[in-house]
Amino acid sequence: MGKVNFDDRSLVENGWNPETEMLYQDEKKSKKKLSFTREQKSIFCVAFLADLFSFVCVSLPAPFLPVVDESHNISSDVTGWILGIYSLVQLAMFPVFGKLMHRIGVRRTLLFGELVCGIFVIAFGLLEYLPVPDPTDKSIDVTYLVLAIVMRILQALGASAYATAAMTLLTSAFPDDTVVMLGYGEVAIGLGLTIGPALGSLLYKLGGFMTVFGGIGGLILLIFVISFFILPADNYDKKEDQKANWTLKEILTHPNVLLSVILIIFIGMSCNMNNPILEPELRDKFGLSQVYSSLVFLVFPVFYLITAPFAFSFRKRCQVFDILYCMVIDFLLGAVAFTLMGPSPLFPGLQRPLWLMIVAIAIQAVFAESGIIFTLELAFIPMDRESKRMKEMNTATQALISGIWLTTFAFGQYISPVISGALAVKLSYGWTTTSYAAMCLAVAVTVLLVKVSRIVSTLMRSSWQHKDAECEVLLH
């Protein structure tokens, strides 16, 4: 690649920068690789399934757990804590496993997590066989409550371990396709979150409480056995990878990584905002039964999955187009989706038939999927290719970044149902979606200002370099 002319202001003003040109040249080289090795394919399958089932368990019991809890005299708000404790544990443990990955080993961390999660998912199903209190006794069944919370904590502990390990495996095994592979991992996470309630409801109708947890727990243990035999023996745990070559401070102060972890919070919030409020809206405004409402819920994961390959392809083919401009367009798309979904009371003449609401949810899925890919690129690629910080990421650094990214993503997903539920109760569904549209618009403007500030900084730096060169010529 020839020398870059930093004085070409027209290129800079149009969003071109040398870093994206480097990515583009690397991408042209990587296109020569048309296939992956058998080992890489095995790693991808294991990592995809690990991410999928890690997040399926988050909301798997949501449709039927309140009914079971009521028989043990547990109110709906306490049921919310039983469900929510899973996400809280993940918030705490993602960075911990990211930090400890280099000591434990990626393979061992993944196997440990799958084994622990699988066992305690099955154990949760055994709660069905605990004696039900006498109908005249209205006191809380403390034994059931304590066991339920402890087993949800242990499920989340295992899931956090193997989800973090899966992210690290993908970044280590596919150094030339990091963003694409991580993007597929996030497709698995998104699918797990969105199909969890539907899968739990289906299995519960087919066979009851134990069928749900015995079936899913058994699948996780089967994945554990498969992983044990097909995963390489810590090929990515080399001695030079035993300690992160980036400190936590260096990671969090890197401009693109910091921006990525902030933006993914808003993406996570956007993914989960409809969970507690969509079904009542569909029932009250359109008279849909639970069966038809569940079909509307499937719109998001279906379009999330369908659009993923197109989003990957777009980003691979358009590396020269600055990633921050992509983020601005994506958040503007999110603002449009939430405005139509409400519809926003700011536009009194805007009507919302059911088909338009479904279209808005589909646009929301495209916005979420694209945003995940863009934030992953911000988080991982710049660490070893952008600015003056030309330092390769080793496995320990990749694990640390994975833990940070997953933590912020989970944080957004955790707080969003709380916020949207409170807004819907105090205001309305329309004002709730309007609030999210305003959030997306504010983020888009902020990212655009960040990009403008970088362009100005680049122009000023180029001008100074030009003046310094002129001064050196005059002095000589």
Side-chain angles (χ1 to χ4, degrees), residues 4-18 325 451-452 454-468 470:
V4 175
N5 182 10
F6 285 92
D7 292 329
D8 193 342
R9 300 190 181 187
S10 63
L11 287 177
V12 173
E13 290 172 351
N14 282 284
W16 181 91
N17 61 61
Y325 289 144
K451 181 57 187 175
V452 170
R454 292 188 180 185
I455 292 174
V456 172
S457 176
T458 302
L459 290 173
M460 293 178 65
R461 186 165 58 250
S462 299
S463 176
W464 293 336
Q465 290 175 351
H466 184 68
K467 289 180 179 179
D468 289 343
E470 290 180 345

Side-chain angles (χ1 to χ4, degrees), residues 214-268:
I216 299 301
L219 282 174
I220 294 174
L221 291 179
L222 177 61
I223 296 169
F224 163 77
V225 174
I226 295 173
S227 303
F228 183 84
F229 287 105
I230 71 173
L231 275 185
D234 289 333
N235 284 354
Y236 304 101
D237 292 339
K238 302 174 184 177
K239 288 183 179 179
E240 61 266 26
D241 288 342
Q242 290 179 359
K243 185 176 181 180
N245 60 342
W246 279 80
T247 66
L248 184 60
K249 182 179 178 180
E250 287 176 319
I251 291 172
L252 292 179
T253 55
H254 190 286
N256 278 10
V257 178
L258 179 61
L259 184 60
S260 172
V261 297
I262 293 173
L263 293 179
I264 196 57
I265 294 175
F266 296 109
I267 297 291

